[in-house]
Amino acid sequence: MSAPEHLVFITGRMAKARLEKVAATLPPERFTWSIADAGVKVAALMTEEIIRRRVTMPEGATRIVLPGRCRANPEALAQHFGLPVERGPDEIVDLPAYLGLAGRTVDLSRHDLRIFSEIVDASKMTPEQILTKGLDLARRGADVIDLGGLPDTDFPHLEDCVRLLKGAGLKVSVDSFSLNELTRGAKAGADYLLSLNEDTLDLAFETDAVPILVPVRPDDLASLDRAIERMEKAGKPYMADPILEPIHFGFVASITRYHETRRRWPGIEMMMGTGNLTELTEADSLGVTALLVGMCSELAIRNVLIVQVSNHTRRTVEEHDAARRVMYAAKADSALPKGYGRSLLALHDKRPYVQTPDEIAAQAAEVKDPNYRIAVAEDGIHVFNRDIHTVGTDAMAFFPRLDVAADGAHAFYLGGELTKAETAWRLGKRYVQDEALAWGAAADAEIEDTTAFKKAGHTKHSGPDGTRQDRTPPEAEAERPEIVEPGETQESGTVAETPTDTGASIVCGKLVPAGKV
């Protein structure tokens, strides 16, 4: 059996006690560990210079883990220490999962599901508009751009649209009830045709476009079987789609048809059109999508046709993309689709609270400056600085207690942050001060440079007289950094004191480098 890996967690004073508790739960046969206290209070304010100057590696260290919000550059520190350096999770409670103790290593880079994204009103759009739309859908995760024709609506520029999309390197399908439009699209170079049945199947033998086969009527599975048999005998590629129907209009029966088709034809390519459920059910589409993509995963259906028309399905491409990656990873692990990230969680989080009320109280007791901190725990929203620690559940009710009536900018900032905190508490989501709430695949995540401090915002914290409240200079009176080994932990709930950390300042809660405020 190989020797356990020796991890070194670099942190600040405020987080050390909580980090010790979590590190003590790591299995000793896999990990030994040390905590390198950089001698600053807030780990997020550590810089490369502080870490290089103030941290010494213990003997036998094999890997260094930085706090997730530390702005230092891991590559630069790896060169300095001669050891691998990586950015760990944002929250200490997530450390065991980060280290692979959830029983698996999460890899969401792979999938086996092709997304056809339909432009339903393509016949009413110009070729240039269709190209712009197609490129946007592809950026979001679509693999094939589906040109949807409308009944009794001419599509004279169909060929131009197909050629324009193909010229941009996109895969194209034509989706129409008109055999004429399908024929024209195929001749223009479309890759797929949606849809052919046994009555229109001759077109499949006149083109290289791959047909998607459907039953003559949704309940006529025998007609789909006959179309499949003909394509199988000819040895030509195709997909089969038994047609997903809406709830109360054959939904359950249609699911059984997918299962039956897979039973009858174990190795064929299949498609599911998920729009009849996501579009025609007024429910948050992310959960509906996850369920349907899970069915596709079980039945080895490797193609979905999606529609993004209704406002409540505005993120359906991203949602299908997230779901296909989660389901692929879970299936590869022979596991439930749990523990594969937060992309399929929009309204609620599995572990919304990263600190207990007692831990927040201990942190509040160590604060020596007037800047307000905001945290959320199971009992509500905590607001604290050196003078006050108050808890509540109504964002607006905090105002009389915060002494910011003469500081409009700060009051504006706190109102926004506390409203966000109340939203998180009511929904059971994670809240982090000055960071956007995470909505999974339901909204784009903010992208930031994790090696640089946040820029100063539009508001600045100032005193009642309007003058800026300066912070303690960098590392002023900072305590000597130390290495904590297992068995040398502090008493539960205590946090050693150090003055304010680096030259950075907290401006309305944002970490801003020295000289930028």
Side-chain angles (χ1 to χ4, degrees), residues 396-466:
M396 295 299 105
F398 284 99
F399 181 75
R401 290 173 273 175
L402 299 184
D403 192 26
V404 290
D407 188 347
H410 201 195
F412 182 87
Y413 162 77
L414 288 173
E417 276 301 309
L418 288 169
T419 299
K420 186 175 68 178
E422 180 183 341
T423 300
W425 180 78
R426 293 192 181 281
L427 290 177
K429 294 183 65 62
R430 283 195 178 181
Y431 168 82
V432 178
Q433 190 170 356
D434 294 309
E435 293 187 13
L437 297 179
W439 300 103
D444 285 333
E446 290 186 356
I447 299 175
E448 61 176 329
D449 181 0
T450 57
T451 66
F453 288 100
K454 293 179 183 291
K455 294 180 180 180
H458 298 295
T459 62
K460 293 185 178 183
H461 181 78
S462 57
D465 59 355

Side-chain angles (χ1 to χ4, degrees), residues 18 36 50 86 107 111 114 122 132 143 169 204 217 224 249 266 319 347 370 411 419-422 438 445 508:
R18 285 191 294 135
I50 287 176
E86 58 199 52
D107 177 9
H111 64 81
R114 185 186 290 116
T132 299
D143 302 294
R217 299 185 316 275
L224 179 60
F249 290 87
E319 291 170 1
L347 292 181
T419 299
K420 186 175 68 178
E422 180 183 341
C508 289

Side-chain angles (χ1 to χ4, degrees), residues 241-515:
D241 184 355
I243 306 298
L244 185 71
E245 295 189 277
I247 293 172
H248 297 150
F249 290 87
F251 168 62
V252 174
S254 66
I255 291 296
T256 64
R257 287 197 296 271
Y258 280 95
H259 183 271
E260 179 61 17
T261 299
R262 175 53 76 207
R263 186 190 68 80
R264 296 183 189 184
W265 305 95
I268 68 170
E269 287 291 335
M270 293 180 65
M271 171 180 278
M272 177 184 286
T274 60
N276 274 349
L277 223 63
T278 58
E279 285 283 330
L280 302 180
T281 307
E282 286 194 4
D284 291 328
S285 58
L286 183 53
V288 176
T289 295
L291 180 62
L292 292 177
V293 174
M295 291 181 182
C296 289
S297 182
E298 279 204 10
L299 295 173
I301 297 172
R302 301 196 301 174
N303 304 273
V304 289
L305 173 65
I306 71 173
V307 184
Q308 188 166 296
V309 177
S310 302
N311 285 330
H312 78 284
T313 64
R314 67 183 65 190
R315 298 280 297 183
T316 193
V317 179
E318 291 88 343
E319 291 170 1
H320 279 79
D321 181 51
R324 65 181 172 177
R325 296 173 187 279
V326 170
M327 298 304 169
Y328 182 92
K331 187 174 184 179
D333 290 339
S334 299
L336 296 169
K338 297 180 64 176
Y340 289 90
R342 299 162 66 189
S343 62
L344 299 183
L345 293 171
L347 292 181
H348 315 293
D349 273 319
K350 186 177 179 180
R351 300 186 69 181
Y353 309 119
V354 299
Q355 290 178 277
T356 66
D358 288 344
E359 288 172 336
I360 295 174
Q363 180 182 350
E366 299 300 321
V367 172
K368 308 300 180 185
D369 60 66
N371 299 299
Y372 285 108
R373 279 77 163 176
I374 304 171
V376 173
E378 192 168 4
D379 63 339
I381 307 161
H382 292 244
V383 183
F384 56 93
N385 65 5
R386 68 186 177 192
D387 302 314
I388 185 175
H389 178 192
T390 182
V391 184
T393 58
D394 181 350
M396 295 299 105
F398 284 99
F399 181 75
R401 290 173 273 175
L402 299 184
D403 192 26
V404 290
D407 188 347
H410 201 195
F412 182 87
Y413 162 77
L414 288 173
E417 276 301 309
L418 288 169
T419 299
K420 186 175 68 178
E422 180 183 341
T423 300
W425 180 78
R426 293 192 181 281
L427 290 177
K429 294 183 65 62
R430 283 195 178 181
Y431 168 82
V432 178
Q433 190 170 356
D434 294 309
E435 293 187 13
L437 297 179
W439 300 103
D444 285 333
E446 290 186 356
I447 299 175
E448 61 176 329
D449 181 0
T450 57
T451 66
F453 288 100
K454 293 179 183 291
K455 294 180 180 180
H458 298 295
T459 62
K460 293 185 178 183
H461 181 78
S462 57
D465 59 355
T467 59
R468 194 186 73 197
Q469 295 181 338
D470 292 325
R471 308 304 191 269
T472 307
E475 299 185 85
E477 305 176 36
E479 293 188 7
R480 180 183 181 85
E482 59 184 77
I483 296 289
V484 177
E485 303 284 358
E488 301 176 359
T489 58
Q490 301 175 11
E491 293 181 8
S492 176
T494 64
V495 182
E497 176 183 347
T498 41
T500 305
D501 320 310
T502 70
S505 300
I506 302 177
V507 179
C508 289
K510 293 185 181 294
L511 308 181
V512 182

